[in-house]
């Protein structure tokens, strides 16, 4: 399972002699994956953790028992953004056949599979055949030339759960070098496991955890970039910083909050502050003086 917990905590081993400050990225029945401050991942057997840490993991397991998991956004070489939850590694055939004027992919109507996967099917064909498609018309013309004969393309890569809940194989050659480099060590261990089901399951789980760490890293990068853009816009005088007092609604006990939001005017400032604190009422506000 992927953890929704992103706050670092102190983890201790059962002996009490070793501790580490880290975020919990993922966990299974036997292992917890932690991310240290330097972004390194470490897999720790649950039975080596302290009792309080094991209880913490159990509580998180109960919270996420019915969750479907976290979706990552995978960027392909073509520029296509592929949203999907990484389930594990796999070697999986992609069979394309035209029957009665319709294209089928692994016995599913081409137009019935998720749109984002429809976009990469022609890329798979291009990779294996050397064909170049400029649009769906070219892909349909290629399928027609096969005269009903199925074409099978053996794809090695990751299995993604897409928006329809089904699993699809996304071959490595579609992804950017950065993504392939991240997944390559786990893939090599998965291959080395051969027929060892438990070893393959473990590597798929660790890949799942690695993908979540990658997603969180992407979020941090985007947040930093947005902050930099905001600072540039603020320095250029595009907007002001507003200090907004947020008060608990009438009849509700609570302490007032003071938040600072970037906005062009008081109306926008109130809307942003309310969006960030939906259970509070907007109170007095003022423009934060600029420093010379």
């Amino acid at each position: 399972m992927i953890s929704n917990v992103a706050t670092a905590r102190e983890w201790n081993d059962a002996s009490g002699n070793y501790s580490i400050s880290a975020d919990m990225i993922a966990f299974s029945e036997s292992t917890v994956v932690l991310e240290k401050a330097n972004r390194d991942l470490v897999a720790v057997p649950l039975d080596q953790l302290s009792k309080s840490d094991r209880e913490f993991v159990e509580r998180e397991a109960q919270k996420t028992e019915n969750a479907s998991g976290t979706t990552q956004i995978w960027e392909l070489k073509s520029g296509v953004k592929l949203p999907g939850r990484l389930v594990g590694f796999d070697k999986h055939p992609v069979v394309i056949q035209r029957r009665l004027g319709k294209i089928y992919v692994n016995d599913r109507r081409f137009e019935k599979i998720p749109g984002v996967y429809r976009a990469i099917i022609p890329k798979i064909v291009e990779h294996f055949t050397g064909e170049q498609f400029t649009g769906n018309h070219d892909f349909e013309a290629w399928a027609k030339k096969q005269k009903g004969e199925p074409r099978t393309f053996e794809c090695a890569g990751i299995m993604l759960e897409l928006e329809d809940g089904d699993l699809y194989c996304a071959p490595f050659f579609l992804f950017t070098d950065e993504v392939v480099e991240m997944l390559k060590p786990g893939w090599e261990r998965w291959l080395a496991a051969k027929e060892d089901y438990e070893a393959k399951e473990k590597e798929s789980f660790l890949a799942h955890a690695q993908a979540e760490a990658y997603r969180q890293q992407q979020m941090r990068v985007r947040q930093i970039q947005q902050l930099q853009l905001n600072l540039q816009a603020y320095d250029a005088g595009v907007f002001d910083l507003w200090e907004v007092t947020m008060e608990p609604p009438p009849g509700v006990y609570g302490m007032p909050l003071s938040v600072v939001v970037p906005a062009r005017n008081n109306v926008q400032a109130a809307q942003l502050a309310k969006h960030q604190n939906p259970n509070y009422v907007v109170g007095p506000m003022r423009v934060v003086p600029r420093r010379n």
Side-chain angles (χ1 to χ4, degrees), residues 271-282:
Q271 291 174 340
L272 288 171
K274 180 65 176 177
H275 178 73
Q276 294 177 8
N277 304 276
N279 296 325
Y280 281 75
V281 177
V282 176

Side-chain angles (χ1 to χ4, degrees), residues 10-283:
E10 288 294 324
W11 298 83
N12 299 280
D13 69 352
S15 69
N17 295 324
Y18 179 76
S19 66
I20 181 176
S21 178
D23 298 337
M24 183 170 72
I25 297 298
F27 55 88
S28 68
E29 293 180 353
S30 61
T31 307
V32 60
V33 177
L34 306 177
E35 183 181 40
K36 298 190 293 184
N38 63 0
R39 307 306 180 201
D40 287 346
L41 298 183
V42 56
V44 182
L46 278 174
D47 59 11
Q48 293 184 12
L49 291 174
S50 67
K51 180 181 178 182
S52 62
D53 286 337
R54 294 197 302 272
E55 291 174 346
F56 174 80
V57 175
E58 289 176 3
R59 290 195 297 271
E60 288 306 309
Q62 292 174 356
K63 290 180 184 178
T64 60
E65 185 176 8
N66 298 320
S68 60
T70 305
T71 296
Q72 300 94 27
I73 304 297
W74 302 91
E75 185 170 354
L76 307 183
K77 289 180 180 178
S78 63
V80 171
K81 298 292 195 301
L82 179 61
R85 186 173 71 92
L86 189 150
V87 175
F89 297 112
D90 202 5
K91 296 175 69 175
H92 192 77
V94 173
V95 182
I96 302 174
Q97 185 179 24
R98 189 173 184 269
R99 303 196 297 260
L100 299 176
K102 301 292 184 180
I103 299 176
Y104 289 79
V105 179
N106 290 349
D107 291 324
R108 291 189 61 185
R109 286 268 293 274
F110 180 66
E111 63 268 25
K112 298 294 185 181
I113 61 180
V116 68
Y117 199 69
R118 288 201 305 272
I120 70 175
I121 290 298
K123 298 298 180 183
I124 292 176
V125 177
E126 287 180 344
H127 176 81
F128 285 102
T129 67
E131 299 275 354
Q132 292 293 320
F133 304 135
T134 58
N136 286 337
H137 182 269
D138 288 349
F139 175 62
E140 291 171 0
W142 171 85
K144 188 175 182 179
K145 286 192 300 184
Q146 308 313 305
K147 297 181 179 180
E149 289 295 321
R151 294 294 303 273
T152 301
F153 305 103
E154 294 292 339
C155 294
I158 58 176
M159 293 299 290
L160 294 176
E161 181 181 7
L162 299 188
E163 58 190 22
D164 62 351
D166 286 341
L167 301 181
Y168 298 85
C169 181
F172 288 123
F173 59 75
L174 291 174
F175 294 95
T176 62
D177 293 341
E178 178 187 7
V179 171
V180 174
E181 187 67 22
M182 176 189 69
L183 297 172
K184 184 179 178 181
W187 166 248
E188 292 176 345
R189 291 192 298 268
W190 187 89
L191 284 177
K194 296 183 179 179
E195 302 303 320
D196 188 335
Y197 174 79
E198 291 186 358
K200 284 182 176 290
E201 282 289 286
K202 178 182 178 181
E203 291 305 328
S204 290
F205 162 70
L206 293 177
H208 192 43
Q210 182 75 51
E212 175 59 11
Y214 178 69
R215 183 190 71 85
Q216 292 185 8
Q217 181 183 19
Q218 287 178 312
M219 290 178 60
R220 285 191 288 267
V221 170
R222 286 195 295 269
Q223 289 170 351
I224 292 172
Q225 291 173 339
Q226 186 60 52
L227 178 60
Q228 291 172 336
L229 290 173
N230 286 343
L231 289 175
Q232 291 172 5
Y234 177 68
D235 290 340
V238 175
F239 58 75
D240 293 313
L241 293 179
W242 291 76
E243 183 179 9
V244 183
T245 301
M246 304 298 294
E247 300 174 346
V252 176
Y253 175 77
M255 296 293 292
L257 302 177
S258 178
V259 299
V260 176
V261 296
R264 292 184 174 86
N265 52 56
N266 62 338
V267 174
Q268 188 180 60
Q271 291 174 340
L272 288 171
K274 180 65 176 177
H275 178 73
Q276 294 177 8
N277 304 276
N279 296 325
Y280 281 75
V281 177
V282 176

